[in-house]
mmCIF file of all heavy atoms in Angstrom:
data_model
loop_
_atom_site.group_PDB
_atom_site.id
_atom_site.type_symbol
_atom_site.label_atom_id
_atom_site.label_comp_id
_atom_site.label_asym_id
_atom_site.label_seq_id
_atom_site.Cartn_x
_atom_site.Cartn_y
_atom_site.Cartn_z
ATOM 1 N N PHE A 117 0.764 -1.263 0.030
ATOM 2 C CA PHE A 117 0.049 -0.021 -0.036
ATOM 3 C C PHE A 117 0.836 1.274 0.021
ATOM 4 O O PHE A 117 2.045 1.235 0.385
ATOM 5 C CB PHE A 117 -0.951 0.050 1.183
ATOM 6 C CG PHE A 117 -0.271 0.243 2.554
ATOM 7 C CD1 PHE A 117 -0.084 1.457 3.069
ATOM 8 C CD2 PHE A 117 0.294 -0.811 3.218
ATOM 9 C CE1 PHE A 117 0.524 1.709 4.257
ATOM 10 C CE2 PHE A 117 0.912 -0.634 4.438
ATOM 11 C CZ PHE A 117 1.019 0.701 4.985
ATOM 12 N N ARG A 118 0.277 2.323 -0.468
ATOM 13 C CA ARG A 118 0.897 3.647 -0.473
ATOM 14 C C ARG A 118 -0.137 4.696 -0.063
ATOM 15 O O ARG A 118 -1.187 4.736 -0.752
ATOM 16 C CB ARG A 118 1.518 3.964 -1.839
ATOM 17 C CG ARG A 118 2.077 5.366 -1.875
ATOM 18 C CD ARG A 118 2.579 5.625 -3.356
ATOM 19 N NE ARG A 118 2.944 6.983 -3.565
ATOM 20 C CZ ARG A 118 4.291 7.435 -3.680
ATOM 21 N NH1 ARG A 118 5.198 6.473 -3.442
ATOM 22 N NH2 ARG A 118 4.522 8.656 -3.920
ATOM 23 N N VAL A 119 0.096 5.431 0.920
ATOM 24 C CA VAL A 119 -0.844 6.512 1.377
ATOM 25 C C VAL A 119 -0.085 7.810 1.221
ATOM 26 O O VAL A 119 1.099 7.978 1.742
ATOM 27 C CB VAL A 119 -1.303 6.386 2.917
ATOM 28 C CG1 VAL A 119 -2.129 7.591 3.311
ATOM 29 C CG2 VAL A 119 -1.965 5.132 3.133
ATOM 30 N N GLU A 120 -0.625 8.666 0.411
ATOM 31 C CA GLU A 120 -0.046 10.003 0.189
ATOM 32 C C GLU A 120 -0.986 11.072 0.613
ATOM 33 O O GLU A 120 -2.085 11.177 0.378
ATOM 34 C CB GLU A 120 0.135 10.164 -1.439
ATOM 35 C CG GLU A 120 0.933 11.394 -1.815
ATOM 36 C CD GLU A 120 1.226 11.332 -3.271
ATOM 37 O OE1 GLU A 120 1.614 10.245 -3.760
ATOM 38 O OE2 GLU A 120 1.198 12.391 -3.921
ATOM 39 N N ILE A 121 -0.471 11.933 1.568
ATOM 40 C CA ILE A 121 -1.189 13.034 2.095
ATOM 41 C C ILE A 121 -0.563 14.301 1.739
ATOM 42 O O ILE A 121 0.582 14.622 2.051
ATOM 43 C CB ILE A 121 -1.231 12.919 3.677
ATOM 44 C CG1 ILE A 121 -1.948 11.548 3.980
ATOM 45 C CG2 ILE A 121 -1.993 13.994 4.274
ATOM 46 C CD1 ILE A 121 -1.924 11.264 5.379
ATOM 47 N N LEU A 122 -1.279 15.161 1.008
ATOM 48 C CA LEU A 122 -0.809 16.377 0.456
ATOM 49 C C LEU A 122 -1.107 17.552 1.375
ATOM 50 O O LEU A 122 -2.288 17.642 1.787
ATOM 51 C CB LEU A 122 -1.470 16.631 -0.977
ATOM 52 C CG LEU A 122 -1.384 15.590 -2.086
ATOM 53 C CD1 LEU A 122 -2.103 15.901 -3.224
ATOM 54 C CD2 LEU A 122 0.254 15.375 -2.300
ATOM 55 N N GLY A 123 -0.157 18.419 1.625
ATOM 56 C CA GLY A 123 -0.354 19.573 2.360
ATOM 57 C C GLY A 123 -0.222 20.822 1.507
ATOM 58 O O GLY A 123 -0.142 20.794 0.341
ATOM 59 N N GLU A 124 -0.037 21.919 2.233
ATOM 60 C CA GLU A 124 0.040 23.140 1.426
ATOM 61 C C GLU A 124 1.354 23.308 0.685
ATOM 62 O O GLU A 124 1.342 23.730 -0.450
ATOM 63 C CB GLU A 124 -0.141 24.417 2.409
ATOM 64 C CG GLU A 124 -0.264 25.771 1.742
ATOM 65 C CD GLU A 124 -0.461 26.860 2.710
ATOM 66 O OE1 GLU A 124 -0.848 26.609 3.856
ATOM 67 O OE2 GLU A 124 -0.347 28.075 2.329
ATOM 68 N N HIS A 125 2.476 22.876 1.299
ATOM 69 C CA HIS A 125 3.789 23.047 0.717
ATOM 70 C C HIS A 125 4.573 21.769 0.575
ATOM 71 O O HIS A 125 5.694 21.771 0.099
ATOM 72 C CB HIS A 125 4.601 24.090 1.488
ATOM 73 C CG HIS A 125 3.924 25.390 1.633
ATOM 74 N ND1 HIS A 125 3.845 26.202 0.602
ATOM 75 C CD2 HIS A 125 3.404 25.999 2.681
ATOM 76 C CE1 HIS A 125 3.316 27.420 0.983
ATOM 77 N NE2 HIS A 125 2.984 27.230 2.250
ATOM 78 N N GLY A 126 3.873 20.681 0.915
ATOM 79 C CA GLY A 126 4.563 19.311 0.801
ATOM 80 C C GLY A 126 3.584 18.179 0.966
ATOM 81 O O GLY A 126 2.386 18.433 0.921
ATOM 82 N N LYS A 127 4.172 17.022 1.148
ATOM 83 C CA LYS A 127 3.389 15.811 1.215
ATOM 84 C C LYS A 127 4.201 14.760 2.079
ATOM 85 O O LYS A 127 5.407 14.838 2.220
ATOM 86 C CB LYS A 127 3.003 15.241 -0.183
ATOM 87 C CG LYS A 127 4.165 14.866 -1.095
ATOM 88 C CD LYS A 127 3.723 14.465 -2.340
ATOM 89 C CE LYS A 127 4.925 14.187 -3.311
ATOM 90 N NZ LYS A 127 4.468 13.814 -4.702
ATOM 91 N N VAL A 128 3.430 13.824 2.519
ATOM 92 C CA VAL A 128 3.911 12.728 3.362
ATOM 93 C C VAL A 128 3.570 11.360 2.641
ATOM 94 O O VAL A 128 2.370 11.284 2.210
ATOM 95 C CB VAL A 128 3.312 12.768 4.736
ATOM 96 C CG1 VAL A 128 3.671 11.509 5.551
ATOM 97 C CG2 VAL A 128 3.799 13.987 5.495
ATOM 98 N N ILE A 129 4.538 10.497 2.529
ATOM 99 C CA ILE A 129 4.347 9.199 1.954
ATOM 100 C C ILE A 129 4.433 8.172 2.946
ATOM 101 O O ILE A 129 5.449 8.145 3.686
ATOM 102 C CB ILE A 129 5.292 8.925 0.806
ATOM 103 C CG1 ILE A 129 5.329 10.132 -0.222
ATOM 104 C CG2 ILE A 129 5.001 7.626 0.077
ATOM 105 C CD1 ILE A 129 4.040 10.371 -0.976
ATOM 106 N N ILE A 130 3.457 7.333 3.114
ATOM 107 C CA ILE A 130 3.424 6.226 4.136
ATOM 108 C C ILE A 130 3.296 4.820 3.375
ATOM 109 O O ILE A 130 2.341 4.737 2.587
ATOM 110 C CB ILE A 130 2.311 6.349 5.100
ATOM 111 C CG1 ILE A 130 2.502 7.702 5.881
ATOM 112 C CG2 ILE A 130 2.236 5.218 6.047
ATOM 113 C CD1 ILE A 130 1.273 8.015 6.747
ATOM 114 N N GLU A 131 4.292 3.934 3.519
ATOM 115 C CA GLU A 131 4.227 2.618 2.935
ATOM 116 C C GLU A 131 4.549 1.508 3.754
ATOM 117 O O GLU A 131 4.628 0.422 3.423
ATOM 118 C CB GLU A 131 5.222 2.697 1.714
ATOM 119 C CG GLU A 131 4.867 3.632 0.606
ATOM 120 C CD GLU A 131 5.900 3.733 -0.519
ATOM 121 O OE1 GLU A 131 7.053 3.948 -0.238
ATOM 122 O OE2 GLU A 131 5.543 3.349 -1.697
ATOM 123 N N THR A 132 4.623 1.803 5.130
ATOM 124 C CA THR A 132 4.781 0.717 6.121
ATOM 125 C C THR A 132 3.844 0.856 7.294
ATOM 126 O O THR A 132 3.368 1.920 7.526
ATOM 127 C CB THR A 132 6.290 0.886 6.744
ATOM 128 O OG1 THR A 132 6.397 2.207 7.392
ATOM 129 C CG2 THR A 132 7.305 0.802 5.659
ATOM 130 N N PRO A 133 3.450 -0.332 7.809
ATOM 131 C CA PRO A 133 2.467 -0.271 8.937
ATOM 132 C C PRO A 133 3.000 0.608 9.998
ATOM 133 O O PRO A 133 4.190 0.677 10.337
ATOM 134 C CB PRO A 133 2.516 -1.706 9.320
ATOM 135 C CG PRO A 133 2.830 -2.524 8.108
ATOM 136 C CD PRO A 133 3.866 -1.605 7.506
ATOM 137 N N GLY A 134 2.041 1.207 10.781
ATOM 138 C CA GLY A 134 2.410 2.047 11.870
ATOM 139 C C GLY A 134 1.346 3.014 12.235
ATOM 140 O O GLY A 134 0.210 2.939 11.751
ATOM 141 N N THR A 135 1.717 4.008 13.129
ATOM 142 C CA THR A 135 0.749 5.060 13.544
ATOM 143 C C THR A 135 1.375 6.425 13.295
ATOM 144 O O THR A 135 2.574 6.668 13.746
ATOM 145 C CB THR A 135 0.375 4.878 15.059
ATOM 146 O OG1 THR A 135 -0.051 3.529 15.280
ATOM 147 C CG2 THR A 135 -0.564 5.843 15.502
ATOM 148 N N TYR A 136 0.680 7.257 12.554
ATOM 149 C CA TYR A 136 1.287 8.509 12.196
ATOM 150 C C TYR A 136 0.279 9.732 12.504
ATOM 151 O O TYR A 136 -0.976 9.446 12.361
ATOM 152 C CB TYR A 136 1.543 8.535 10.654
ATOM 153 C CG TYR A 136 2.309 7.349 10.225
ATOM 154 C CD1 TYR A 136 1.692 6.106 9.953
ATOM 155 C CD2 TYR A 136 3.681 7.412 10.116
ATOM 156 C CE1 TYR A 136 2.379 5.035 9.544
ATOM 157 C CE2 TYR A 136 4.480 6.299 9.619
ATOM 158 C CZ TYR A 136 3.767 5.158 9.425
ATOM 159 O OH TYR A 136 4.513 3.983 9.022
ATOM 160 N N SER A 137 0.783 10.852 12.899
ATOM 161 C CA SER A 137 -0.001 12.003 13.142
ATOM 162 C C SER A 137 0.454 13.137 12.238
ATOM 163 O O SER A 137 1.666 13.394 12.234
ATOM 164 C CB SER A 137 0.011 12.319 14.601
ATOM 165 O OG SER A 137 -0.795 13.480 14.923
ATOM 166 N N LEU A 138 -0.509 13.735 11.555
ATOM 167 C CA LEU A 138 -0.200 14.905 10.671
ATOM 168 C C LEU A 138 -1.008 16.140 10.983
ATOM 169 O O LEU A 138 -2.237 15.895 11.400
ATOM 170 C CB LEU A 138 -0.360 14.497 9.238
ATOM 171 C CG LEU A 138 0.546 13.397 8.641
ATOM 172 C CD1 LEU A 138 -0.196 12.017 8.791
ATOM 173 C CD2 LEU A 138 0.861 13.683 7.192
ATOM 174 N N GLU A 139 -0.506 17.281 10.907
ATOM 175 C CA GLU A 139 -1.087 18.444 11.164
ATOM 176 C C GLU A 139 -0.762 19.545 10.137
ATOM 177 O O GLU A 139 0.408 19.746 9.928
ATOM 178 C CB GLU A 139 -0.812 18.969 12.535
ATOM 179 C CG GLU A 139 -1.716 20.147 13.060
ATOM 180 C CD GLU A 139 -1.437 20.495 14.537
ATOM 181 O OE1 GLU A 139 -0.332 20.123 15.056
ATOM 182 O OE2 GLU A 139 -2.308 21.072 15.158
ATOM 183 N N GLN A 140 -1.737 20.236 9.651
ATOM 184 C CA GLN A 140 -1.624 21.361 8.700
ATOM 185 C C GLN A 140 -2.104 22.578 9.515
ATOM 186 O O GLN A 140 -3.242 22.769 9.737
ATOM 187 C CB GLN A 140 -2.431 21.236 7.421
ATOM 188 C CG GLN A 140 -2.339 22.441 6.441
ATOM 189 C CD GLN A 140 -0.896 22.461 5.834
ATOM 190 O OE1 GLN A 140 -0.520 21.472 5.208
ATOM 191 N NE2 GLN A 140 -0.260 23.547 5.935
ATOM 192 N N VAL A 141 -1.109 23.491 9.827
ATOM 193 C CA VAL A 141 -1.457 24.614 10.675
ATOM 194 C C VAL A 141 -0.401 25.623 10.387
ATOM 195 O O VAL A 141 0.891 25.386 10.251
ATOM 196 C CB VAL A 141 -1.508 24.224 12.171
ATOM 197 C CG1 VAL A 141 -0.184 23.731 12.625
ATOM 198 C CG2 VAL A 141 -2.033 25.358 13.013
ATOM 199 N N ASP A 142 -0.785 26.953 10.469
ATOM 200 C CA ASP A 142 0.094 28.047 10.156
ATOM 201 C C ASP A 142 1.055 27.886 9.051
ATOM 202 O O ASP A 142 2.279 28.300 9.059
ATOM 203 C CB ASP A 142 0.961 28.316 11.472
ATOM 204 C CG ASP A 142 0.130 28.556 12.684
ATOM 205 O OD1 ASP A 142 -1.024 29.177 12.546
ATOM 206 O OD2 ASP A 142 0.543 28.247 13.859
ATOM 207 N N GLY A 143 0.519 27.296 7.919
ATOM 208 C CA GLY A 143 1.341 27.091 6.703
ATOM 209 C C GLY A 143 2.333 26.003 6.772
ATOM 210 O O GLY A 143 3.029 25.864 5.847
ATOM 211 N N GLU A 144 2.285 25.249 7.841
ATOM 212 C CA GLU A 144 3.237 24.061 8.019
ATOM 213 C C GLU A 144 2.437 22.847 7.902
ATOM 214 O O GLU A 144 1.483 22.669 8.496
ATOM 215 C CB GLU A 144 4.004 24.090 9.365
ATOM 216 C CG GLU A 144 4.940 25.378 9.503
ATOM 217 C CD GLU A 144 5.639 25.430 10.813
ATOM 218 O OE1 GLU A 144 5.506 24.434 11.658
ATOM 219 O OE2 GLU A 144 6.289 26.405 11.122
ATOM 220 N N LEU A 145 3.192 21.711 7.311
ATOM 221 C CA LEU A 145 2.724 20.369 7.422
ATOM 222 C C LEU A 145 3.582 19.702 8.358
ATOM 223 O O LEU A 145 4.868 19.453 8.101
ATOM 224 C CB LEU A 145 2.784 19.797 5.961
ATOM 225 C CG LEU A 145 2.389 18.271 5.901
ATOM 226 C CD1 LEU A 145 0.901 18.174 6.298
ATOM 227 C CD2 LEU A 145 2.633 17.718 4.506
ATOM 228 N N ARG A 146 3.059 19.375 9.512
ATOM 229 C CA ARG A 146 3.821 18.589 10.570
ATOM 230 C C ARG A 146 3.571 17.194 10.660
ATOM 231 O O ARG A 146 2.387 16.737 10.555
ATOM 232 C CB ARG A 146 3.476 19.319 11.922
ATOM 233 C CG ARG A 146 3.765 20.863 11.939
ATOM 234 C CD ARG A 146 3.134 21.477 13.144
ATOM 235 N NE ARG A 146 3.336 22.944 13.170
ATOM 236 C CZ ARG A 146 2.839 23.760 14.056
ATOM 237 N NH1 ARG A 146 2.149 23.268 15.048
ATOM 238 N NH2 ARG A 146 3.012 25.067 13.979
ATOM 239 N N LEU A 147 4.614 16.529 10.864
ATOM 240 C CA LEU A 147 4.539 14.983 10.911
ATOM 241 C C LEU A 147 5.142 14.441 12.166
ATOM 242 O O LEU A 147 6.260 14.833 12.431
ATOM 243 C CB LEU A 147 5.157 14.350 9.675
ATOM 244 C CG LEU A 147 5.425 12.840 9.755
ATOM 245 C CD1 LEU A 147 4.148 12.054 9.688
ATOM 246 C CD2 LEU A 147 6.398 12.413 8.570
ATOM 247 N N SER A 148 4.446 13.550 12.913
ATOM 248 C CA SER A 148 5.000 12.867 13.972
ATOM 249 C C SER A 148 4.844 11.331 13.766
ATOM 250 O O SER A 148 3.696 10.967 13.434
ATOM 251 C CB SER A 148 4.344 13.222 15.389
ATOM 252 O OG SER A 148 4.595 14.547 15.647
ATOM 253 N N VAL A 149 5.779 10.577 13.938
ATOM 254 C CA VAL A 149 5.765 9.143 13.686
ATOM 255 C C VAL A 149 5.788 8.473 15.028
ATOM 256 O O VAL A 149 6.782 8.522 15.815
ATOM 257 C CB VAL A 149 6.976 8.581 12.820
ATOM 258 C CG1 VAL A 149 6.753 7.159 12.646
ATOM 259 C CG2 VAL A 149 6.816 9.350 11.433
ATOM 260 N N VAL A 150 4.685 7.888 15.443
ATOM 261 C CA VAL A 150 4.633 7.002 16.591
ATOM 262 C C VAL A 150 5.232 5.686 16.459
ATOM 263 O O VAL A 150 6.125 5.255 17.194
ATOM 264 C CB VAL A 150 3.162 6.864 17.109
ATOM 265 C CG1 VAL A 150 3.101 6.158 18.438
ATOM 266 C CG2 VAL A 150 2.561 8.347 17.283
ATOM 267 N N GLU A 151 4.826 5.030 15.431
ATOM 268 C CA GLU A 151 5.364 3.622 15.037
ATOM 269 C C GLU A 151 5.501 3.715 13.554
ATOM 270 O O GLU A 151 4.645 4.215 12.764
ATOM 271 C CB GLU A 151 4.467 2.596 15.480
ATOM 272 C CG GLU A 151 4.285 2.367 16.972
ATOM 273 C CD GLU A 151 3.298 1.407 17.367
ATOM 274 O OE1 GLU A 151 2.546 0.909 16.494
ATOM 275 O OE2 GLU A 151 3.270 0.982 18.562
ATOM 276 N N GLY A 152 6.491 3.046 12.929
ATOM 277 C CA GLY A 152 6.676 2.966 11.523
ATOM 278 C C GLY A 152 7.651 3.880 11.006
ATOM 279 O O GLY A 152 8.545 4.427 11.704
ATOM 280 N N THR A 153 7.652 4.111 9.649
ATOM 281 C CA THR A 153 8.586 4.937 8.898
ATOM 282 C C THR A 153 7.764 5.681 7.850
ATOM 283 O O THR A 153 7.017 5.035 7.141
ATOM 284 C CB THR A 153 9.700 4.187 8.350
ATOM 285 O OG1 THR A 153 10.394 3.550 9.388
ATOM 286 C CG2 THR A 153 10.644 5.070 7.577
ATOM 287 N N ALA A 154 8.014 6.939 7.729
ATOM 288 C CA ALA A 154 7.348 7.794 6.638
ATOM 289 C C ALA A 154 8.328 8.697 5.905
ATOM 290 O O ALA A 154 9.396 8.929 6.460
ATOM 291 C CB ALA A 154 6.187 8.553 7.274
ATOM 292 N N SER A 155 7.957 9.199 4.845
ATOM 293 C CA SER A 155 8.785 10.045 4.024
ATOM 294 C C SER A 155 8.060 11.356 3.832
ATOM 295 O O SER A 155 6.921 11.357 3.449
ATOM 296 C CB SER A 155 9.159 9.516 2.631
ATOM 297 O OG SER A 155 9.852 10.488 1.951
ATOM 298 N N ILE A 156 8.732 12.461 4.243
ATOM 299 C CA ILE A 156 8.103 13.835 3.978
ATOM 300 C C ILE A 156 8.990 14.503 2.792
ATOM 301 O O ILE A 156 10.130 14.423 2.758
ATOM 302 C CB ILE A 156 8.178 14.616 5.259
ATOM 303 C CG1 ILE A 156 7.277 15.869 5.072
ATOM 304 C CG2 ILE A 156 9.540 14.975 5.703
ATOM 305 C CD1 ILE A 156 6.851 16.581 6.389
ATOM 306 N N ARG A 157 8.138 15.057 1.826
ATOM 307 C CA ARG A 157 8.790 15.515 0.624
ATOM 308 C C ARG A 157 8.144 16.849 0.211
ATOM 309 O O ARG A 157 7.032 17.186 0.535
ATOM 310 C CB ARG A 157 8.573 14.518 -0.485
ATOM 311 C CG ARG A 157 8.925 13.137 -0.188
ATOM 312 C CD ARG A 157 8.655 12.192 -1.292
ATOM 313 N NE ARG A 157 8.905 10.813 -0.917
ATOM 314 C CZ ARG A 157 8.824 9.722 -1.667
ATOM 315 N NH1 ARG A 157 8.339 9.865 -2.941
ATOM 316 N NH2 ARG A 157 9.093 8.500 -1.235
ATOM 317 N N THR A 158 8.993 17.676 -0.448
ATOM 318 C CA THR A 158 8.400 18.847 -1.147
ATOM 319 C C THR A 158 7.469 18.456 -2.278
ATOM 320 O O THR A 158 7.697 17.315 -2.785
ATOM 321 C CB THR A 158 9.612 19.749 -1.694
ATOM 322 O OG1 THR A 158 10.402 18.943 -2.494
ATOM 323 C CG2 THR A 158 10.412 20.274 -0.456
ATOM 324 N N LEU A 159 6.658 19.387 -2.732
ATOM 325 C CA LEU A 159 5.677 18.975 -3.721
ATOM 326 C C LEU A 159 6.352 18.618 -5.090
ATOM 327 O O LEU A 159 5.888 17.758 -5.819
ATOM 328 C CB LEU A 159 4.723 20.119 -3.923
ATOM 329 C CG LEU A 159 3.770 20.378 -2.779
ATOM 330 C CD1 LEU A 159 2.861 21.611 -3.132
ATOM 331 C CD2 LEU A 159 2.840 19.156 -2.564
ATOM 332 N N ASP A 160 7.576 19.283 -5.259
ATOM 333 C CA ASP A 160 8.287 18.905 -6.557
ATOM 334 C C ASP A 160 9.241 17.591 -6.300
ATOM 335 O O ASP A 160 9.870 17.167 -7.299
ATOM 336 C CB ASP A 160 9.140 20.037 -7.049
ATOM 337 C CG ASP A 160 10.074 20.483 -6.005
ATOM 338 O OD1 ASP A 160 10.319 19.783 -5.001
ATOM 339 O OD2 ASP A 160 10.770 21.667 -6.230
ATOM 340 N N GLU A 161 9.232 17.026 -5.119
ATOM 341 C CA GLU A 161 9.958 15.875 -4.810
ATOM 342 C C GLU A 161 11.530 16.054 -4.936
ATOM 343 O O GLU A 161 12.208 15.149 -5.161
ATOM 344 C CB GLU A 161 9.522 14.646 -5.551
ATOM 345 C CG GLU A 161 7.999 14.297 -5.307
ATOM 346 C CD GLU A 161 7.742 12.854 -5.384
ATOM 347 O OE1 GLU A 161 8.608 12.034 -5.545
ATOM 348 O OE2 GLU A 161 6.512 12.441 -5.172
ATOM 349 N N GLN A 162 11.967 17.403 -4.975
ATOM 350 C CA GLN A 162 13.354 17.572 -5.086
ATOM 351 C C GLN A 162 14.071 17.356 -3.733
ATOM 352 O O GLN A 162 15.250 17.180 -3.687
ATOM 353 C CB GLN A 162 13.535 18.993 -5.541
ATOM 354 C CG GLN A 162 13.069 19.252 -6.975
ATOM 355 C CD GLN A 162 13.759 18.367 -7.978
ATOM 356 O OE1 GLN A 162 15.023 18.269 -8.039
ATOM 357 N NE2 GLN A 162 12.992 17.601 -8.690
#
């Protein structure tokens, strides 16, 4: 599986089991990983 969550200036990619918390606030996309591994990327993926 692949879960992609788009924010205002970036995105988070989740491909492993786990627990993840995301927040879009004040122009920021914030990610906290409780369990698992995730990738955070700019929209252009550079």
Side-chain angles (χ1 to χ4, degrees):
F117 70 94
R118 175 187 173 100
V119 178
E120 186 171 323
I121 301 175
L122 306 175
E124 186 175 349
H125 301 289
K127 58 185 176 181
V128 171
I129 308 296
I130 299 170
E131 296 178 298
T132 60
T135 304
Y136 309 85
S137 178
L138 296 94
E139 187 174 24
Q140 179 71 55
V141 61
D142 298 332
E144 297 182 3
L145 178 62
R146 302 170 183 172
L147 166 67
S148 295
V149 179
V150 180
E151 298 174 346
T153 300
S155 173
I156 192 165
R157 309 177 186 182
T158 56
L159 291 176
D160 60 10
E161 300 211 2
Q162 294 301 305

